[in-house]
Amino acid sequence: MKALAAIIDENKRLTVSGVLNFETVVTLWKQSLLLLAKYPHVDIDLSKVTASNSAGLALLVEWLKYGKQENKAITFSGMPPQLQSIAKVAGIDLILSST
């Protein structure tokens, strides 16, 4: 069964839903670039993410890198506990929460 994920633009807030894994993050990354380019500040709402692994964490880091390179403020809200745990183990939980 193929994992599903989506990213929706809700006026300067991008809502991510579904599963963040090696199958889905590349497509989400590509879709997000057009959306991120529209705004100087974007909040990425992760409250509808149902599961994630390290690929999901890598996607968040790439969004932060993109924001820094493009001088855009990227913040995260609604981070699920599973993703918070992975970030903590990786030692980047403070970086993600300080955005």
Side-chain angles (χ1 to χ4, degrees), residues 2-3 5 17 19 21 29 33-35 38 40-42 47-48 50 52-53 56 59 63 65 70 72 81 96:
K2 187 170 174 82
S17 61
V19 177
N21 64 20
W29 169 250
L33 290 176
L34 294 173
L35 302 173
K38 293 167 59 174
H41 174 266
V42 178
S47 63
K48 295 183 180 178
T50 56
S52 183
N53 60 21
L59 178 61
W63 279 330
K65 284 174 42 180
E70 299 297 321
K72 295 178 180 282
L96 297 176

Side-chain angles (χ1 to χ4, degrees), residues 54-95:
S54 60
L57 184 62
L59 178 61
L60 271 59
V61 170
E62 287 302 312
W63 279 330
L64 289 178
K65 284 174 42 180
Y66 170 86
K68 186 172 185 175
Q69 290 170 348
E70 299 297 321
N71 200 29
K72 295 178 180 282
I74 308 276
T75 58
F76 300 108
S77 61
M79 192 175 305
Q82 181 182 19
L83 200 48
Q84 289 176 11
S85 295
I86 296 169
K88 188 169 186 162
V89 168
I92 62 169
D93 53 322
L94 296 177
I95 295 168

